[in-house]
Amino acid sequence: MDNGLPAGFRLGVAEAAFKKPGRNDLALLLSDRPAAAAGLFTTNKFQAAPVLAGRERLRVSPTARAVLINAGQANACTGEEGMFRCRQSREMTASLLGISPDDILPASTGVIGAQMDMRAWERALPALAGNLGRAGLEDFASAIMTTDAFPKYARRKLCIGNENPVGIAGAAKGAGMICPDMATMLAVVFCDAVMDPGEWRSLLAGAVDASFNRVSVDGDTSTNDTLYGLANGASGVSISGTRTAILGKVLTEVLEELAYMLVKDGEGATKVMHIDVVGAANDADAERAARAVGGSQLVKTAMYGKDANWGRVICALGRSGAAFNPDDVVFVLCGVELFSNGKPAPPHYEDLLTPALAQRDIRMELRLGYGPGKYKLLASDLTHDYVSVNSDYRS
Amino acid sequence: MDNGLPAGFRLGVAEAAFKKPGRNDLALLLSDRPAAAAGLFTTNKFQAAPVLAGRERLRVSPTARAVLINAGQANACTGEEGMFRCRQSREMTASLLGISPDDILPASTGVIGAQMDMRAWERALPALAGNLGRAGLEDFASAIMTTDAFPKYARRKLCIGNENPVGIAGAAKGAGMICPDMATMLAVVFCDAVMDPGEWRSLLAGAVDASFNRVSVDGDTSTNDTLYGLANGASGVSISGTRTAILGKVLTEVLEELAYMLVKDGEGATKVMHIDVVGAANDADAERAARAVGGSQLVKTAMYGKDANWGRVICALGRSGAAFNPDDVVFVLCGVELFSNGKPAPPHYEDLLTPALAQRDIRMELRLGYGPGKYKLLASDLTHDYVSVNSDYRS
């Protein structure tokens, strides 16, 4: 049966009511055989219990059978008791599945500081195991949501020569506390190619760097950011040598699609800014410039207001720390050049932008000079709804 | 006649209607004699014409007779034409006052990118000169406002021994695009002490570092940030040697009072967070931690929502880049310890905070460990009104 997933994987979801009842909030990905496994984790100094546990497992062995995710309780800043409960949740699940607890990679998302409700786990796990294989990718993506407005998932098939197609699927969650840095929000990507674990890890790291590491909703990097990638080999197609780059490209596409959805679903967001910096002295300077612009509250609110207030972009660039000559800077908003040679374009140019600024996707091109440095960043706007969602999160 | 100002200074205001009519938007401070003059300016790479002109004047000579400020047009990103108009405004004013244009320190605030309306200058300047000496400190502070909700001014008298009292007065403006860095928003402080220009400058720099450089509304450093300080000696009281520290303390108090008002009047703000970091490895790390917390959109919205969501503070600290051991961290909110030893306090502790979180001033103490590093920062919250003001600024 083709369930639309990469071969040899099953999904399950269940309701544990960690935060409130009425929705699935427990999700399981199970491979029918050991898979090459890699993880990328938050760089925050405070690391949630499942981050510490998942990291430790992958340090010992780059393989796994399952990924287990709960939504509603982050199990972060919970001390040793939190580590113990994380272990318990893996042990209970493992005994139902007949696998080792070590083979389960854990992830949690939700409010920081609350201990996980182990009775909720106990009640829900039999349903989760019973549901295995009946849940689709959308069900899985829905079960890991918190403040997300819609489930985020993507998939591809890759056909090389006469071999079986290789399947890749991914799901992600995240709408707030998003500014991943060398890691990402909660996301899982799984693939049925035969891969060496080391190569799989570096492929994944490259794809994450080109996708999740280039989005910003609110500049905060959470305590729980985790991306797990499993490659179980069930397609029988070996990926190595020159084929690796081909798979890497498709993998990057899947992650880019998910990363775009994170920004589109940024808490309260109405816009996705595509910030494209070129001509910087080096890539690090281009990144500084892009992050200053994409992170500026004043730029974000101007975009929300459909206001071509380019002075705020220039101001953010000016404080970014990037090296450049102000007279070399060119700023193009949705195809209209608004600033160059140290001077603004004629005022009526802004009127040309009215239709473009009404769209969801806003393209910004910033040329800093004539260097080789470049960087792209996706960022959301800052809206009344963002404030509503975040001033009222826990009530 | 005692006008409540430091001796030998007069103020004038007038309406030029740079942005819209119905309010004074032109302000002049004139000393009856040459004053020791110092300026601290924005670190933004894009520097407004008056910043470039004021900086150049003070490079040539650390003295001045006047400060001239217009509100509504920032004269930033305006190229050579902007420099020319800045010069014109100083020349027109100087000929009315019978002084040299070089003796006038200029400052502008308002929308970036618009050229100054020179006919508005021409029409308003005679009224400004005619009004000289009739305006008080509050009138002056009101005339330099843009999105400010209230005028910001402060004054002190310092009596040393049997000598004449020394007067110090200051005014500031700023509500958005505020995260001064080695400089400040538009502010003027003037004093009638007899001071060596070099000592006056370093006194001022120290006082700014302890006040304006420690506030953050939205993390943006504007193209126009300027603080001018004039000491004209009209009291006849010489300040040097051990007296310098005494004057420095009072000067710092005046600037702290103004800096607090900037945060209190942060666009849409309902809260002033007093973020006090101690026990860091060094002061730079303490500053990183304070700025990460004070700049976090999630912390700012939680405070607006009167929500003791300490997990967001801990999360911001964790990504700040400051070095510390997570288990050493202690977080105290309004006197209640919410996090220590890697674990949260009992949940009912948060209920104790309900009355405190309803207040305007919110005290946060973060201990990172046992090092000597410390830093204090004032920061505002992030509210629906902030978004309203900034998504609708130019309309």
Side-chain angles (χ1 to χ4, degrees):
Chain A
M1 185 206 80
D2 184 6
N3 55 10
L5 299 177
F9 286 102
R10 283 179 295 160
L11 301 173
V13 297
E15 175 178 339
F18 288 114
K19 196 168 171 207
K20 49 190 168 194
R23 55 160 290 210
N24 292 321
D25 51 3
L26 203 51
L28 179 70
L29 166 71
L30 183 69
S31 167
D32 64 6
R33 68 200 78 187
L40 292 154
F41 301 94
T42 182
T43 53
N44 198 298
K45 294 261 289 178
F46 292 94
Q47 306 214 323
V51 169
L52 296 172
R55 198 190 275 283
E56 172 61 15
R57 157 60 186 187
L58 293 171
R59 196 185 60 74
V60 173
S61 166
T63 60
R65 286 285 305 277
V67 176
L68 176 65
I69 305 179
N70 70 291
Q73 300 187 304
N75 199 3
C77 301
T78 47
E80 284 184 23
E81 179 65 23
M83 290 302 292
F84 177 74
R85 294 189 186 202
C86 177
R87 182 73 196 174
Q88 264 193 310
S89 69
R90 293 161 81 200
E91 282 173 357
M92 291 191 293
T93 310
S95 75
L96 281 165
L97 300 176
I99 63 176
S100 156
D102 290 334
D103 268 339
I104 300 178
L105 298 170
S108 301
T109 178
V111 179
I112 294 173
Q115 293 291 356
M116 292 200 298
D117 178 349
M118 296 318 292
R119 264 188 271 180
W121 276 97
E122 241 172 307
R123 280 194 305 265
L125 279 177
L128 184 69
N131 175 261
L132 249 183
R134 280 197 276 263
L137 192 56
E138 180 171 350
D139 302 318
F140 183 89
S142 299
I144 65 175
M145 285 165 50
T146 54
T147 56
D148 304 62
F150 57 86
K152 299 167 185 70
Y153 55 96
R155 63 184 120 200
R156 291 282 191 289
K157 291 262 184 220
L158 172 66
C159 296
I160 306 181
N162 298 331
E163 302 207 55
N164 284 337
V166 170
I168 304 177
K173 68 75 55 178
M177 212 177 264
I178 295 198
C179 185
D181 185 11
M182 301 193 39
T184 176
M185 297 315 301
L186 282 204
V188 180
V189 59
F190 49 110
C191 168
D192 52 23
V194 180
M195 288 282 298
D196 167 74
E199 284 192 26
W200 173 242
R201 200 199 176 284
S202 56
L203 207 62
L204 202 64
V208 167
D209 191 47
S211 57
F212 286 106
N213 281 357
R214 300 188 178 218
V215 302
S216 174
V217 170
D218 52 19
D220 264 302
T221 306
S222 108
T223 48
N224 287 57
D225 292 351
T226 300
L227 179 139
Y228 287 128
L230 266 55
N232 71 355
S235 68
V237 180
S238 266
I239 299 286
S240 64
T242 52
R243 286 177 161 191
T244 312
I246 301 174
L247 182 66
K249 194 164 175 314
V250 178
L251 184 65
T252 301
E253 277 175 28
V254 168
L255 298 191
E256 278 176 344
E257 204 172 315
L258 293 172
Y260 175 84
M261 288 186 237
L262 285 191
V263 179
K264 181 177 169 190
D265 193 17
E267 284 170 345
T270 65
K271 302 288 179 199
V272 178
M273 297 188 268
H274 300 249
I275 302 166
D276 202 350
V277 178
V278 298
N282 50 56
D283 288 353
D285 262 11
E287 179 171 355
R288 273 185 205 105
R291 290 195 181 274
V293 171
S296 162
Q297 291 185 19
L298 289 164
V299 172
K300 285 170 177 286
T301 46
M303 289 304 109
Y304 171 49
K306 306 182 181 74
D307 180 0
N309 198 333
W310 56 269
R312 295 183 180 179
V313 173
I314 293 301
C315 181
L317 171 62
R319 68 158 164 86
S320 66
F324 59 86
N325 173 353
D327 288 337
D328 289 342
V329 169
V330 179
F331 175 56
V332 177
L333 180 61
C334 303
V336 177
E337 185 181 295
L338 291 179
F339 182 80
S340 61
N341 298 312
K343 289 194 297 286
H348 72 270
Y349 274 43
E350 293 185 22
D351 302 338
L352 302 173
L353 285 165
T354 307
L357 292 177
Q359 306 296 311
R360 173 181 292 274
D361 290 280
I362 305 287
R363 312 224 166 244
M364 298 186 175
E365 290 162 52
L366 263 172
R367 172 171 288 281
L368 303 200
Y370 306 95
K374 55 188 179 0
Y375 197 82
K376 279 186 199 220
L377 181 77
L378 299 185
S380 55
D381 58 344
L382 175 58
T383 70
H384 288 106
D385 281 355
Y386 178 91
V387 176
S388 296
V389 169
N390 282 299
S391 57
D392 199 33
Y393 176 43
R394 300 198 305 177
S395 51
Chain B
M1 185 204 78
D2 183 5
N3 55 8
L5 300 177
F9 286 102
R10 283 179 296 161
L11 302 173
V13 298
E15 175 178 339
F18 288 114
K19 196 167 170 209
K20 48 191 168 193
R23 55 161 289 211
N24 292 321
D25 50 4
L26 204 51
L28 180 69
L29 166 72
L30 183 69
S31 167
D32 64 6
R33 69 200 76 187
L40 292 155
F41 301 94
T42 182
T43 53
N44 199 299
K45 293 262 288 179
F46 291 94
Q47 305 213 323
V51 170
L52 295 172
R55 198 190 275 284
E56 174 60 16
R57 158 61 187 188
L58 294 171
R59 197 185 60 75
V60 173
S61 165
T63 61
R65 288 284 305 277
V67 176
L68 176 65
I69 306 178
N70 71 292
Q73 300 186 304
N75 198 3
C77 301
T78 47
E80 284 184 21
E81 179 65 24
M83 290 302 292
F84 178 73
R85 295 190 184 201
C86 177
R87 181 74 196 174
Q88 265 193 307
S89 69
R90 292 162 80 200
E91 283 174 355
M92 291 190 294
T93 309
S95 75
L96 281 166
L97 301 176
I99 63 175
S100 156
D102 290 333
D103 269 338
I104 300 178
L105 298 170
S108 301
T109 177
V111 179
I112 294 173
Q115 294 290 357
M116 290 200 299
D117 178 350
M118 297 317 293
R119 263 187 272 180
W121 275 97
E122 241 172 307
R123 279 193 305 266
L125 279 177
L128 184 69
N131 175 261
L132 249 183
R134 280 197 275 263
L137 192 56
E138 180 170 351
D139 302 319
F140 183 90
S142 299
I144 64 176
M145 285 164 53
T146 54
T147 56
D148 303 63
F150 58 85
K152 299 167 185 69
Y153 55 96
R155 63 185 119 199
R156 291 283 192 289
K157 292 261 184 219
L158 173 66
C159 297
I160 306 183
N162 300 330
E163 303 208 53
N164 285 337
V166 170
I168 304 177
K173 66 78 52 179
M177 210 176 268
I178 295 196
C179 185
D181 185 11
M182 302 191 37
T184 176
M185 296 314 301
L186 282 204
V188 181
V189 60
F190 49 110
C191 169
D192 52 22
V194 181
M195 287 284 298
D196 167 74
E199 284 192 27
W200 173 241
R201 200 199 176 283
S202 56
L203 208 60
L204 202 64
V208 166
D209 191 47
S211 57
F212 285 106
N213 281 357
R214 301 190 178 216
V215 303
S216 174
V217 170
D218 52 19
D220 264 302
T221 306
S222 109
T223 50
N224 288 56
D225 291 352
T226 300
L227 179 141
Y228 287 128
L230 267 54
N232 71 355
S235 68
V237 181
S238 267
I239 300 286
S240 63
T242 52
R243 287 177 162 192
T244 312
I246 302 173
L247 182 66
K249 194 164 176 312
V250 179
L251 184 64
T252 301
E253 277 175 28
V254 169
L255 298 191
E256 279 176 342
E257 205 173 314
L258 293 173
Y260 174 85
M261 288 187 237
L262 286 191
V263 179
K264 181 177 169 190
D265 193 19
E267 285 170 344
T270 65
K271 302 288 179 197
V272 178
M273 296 187 269
H274 300 249
I275 302 165
D276 202 349
V277 178
V278 297
N282 50 56
D283 288 353
D285 262 12
E287 179 171 354
R288 272 184 206 105
R291 290 195 181 274
V293 171
S296 162
Q297 289 184 195
L298 289 164
V299 172
K300 285 169 177 287
T301 47
M303 289 304 109
Y304 172 49
K306 307 182 180 72
D307 179 1
N309 197 333
W310 57 268
R312 294 183 179 177
V313 173
I314 293 300
C315 181
L317 171 62
R319 67 158 165 84
S320 67
F324 59 87
N325 174 354
D327 287 337
D328 288 343
V329 170
V330 179
F331 174 55
V332 177
L333 180 61
C334 303
V336 178
E337 184 181 295
L338 292 178
F339 182 79
S340 62
N341 297 313
K343 289 193 297 285
H348 72 269
Y349 275 43
E350 293 185 22
D351 302 338
L352 302 173
L353 285 165
T354 307
L357 291 176
Q359 307 296 312
R360 173 180 291 275
D361 291 279
I362 306 287
R363 313 223 165 244
M364 296 185 176
E365 290 161 52
L366 263 172
R367 172 170 287 280
L368 303 199
Y370 306 96
K374 56 187 181 354
Y375 196 81
K376 278 185 199 220
L377 181 76
L378 299 184
S380 56
D381 58 344
L382 174 59
T383 70
H384 288 107
D385 281 355
Y386 179 91
V387 176
S388 297
V389 169
N390 283 299
S391 56
D392 198 34
Y393 175 44
R394 300 198 305 178
S395 52

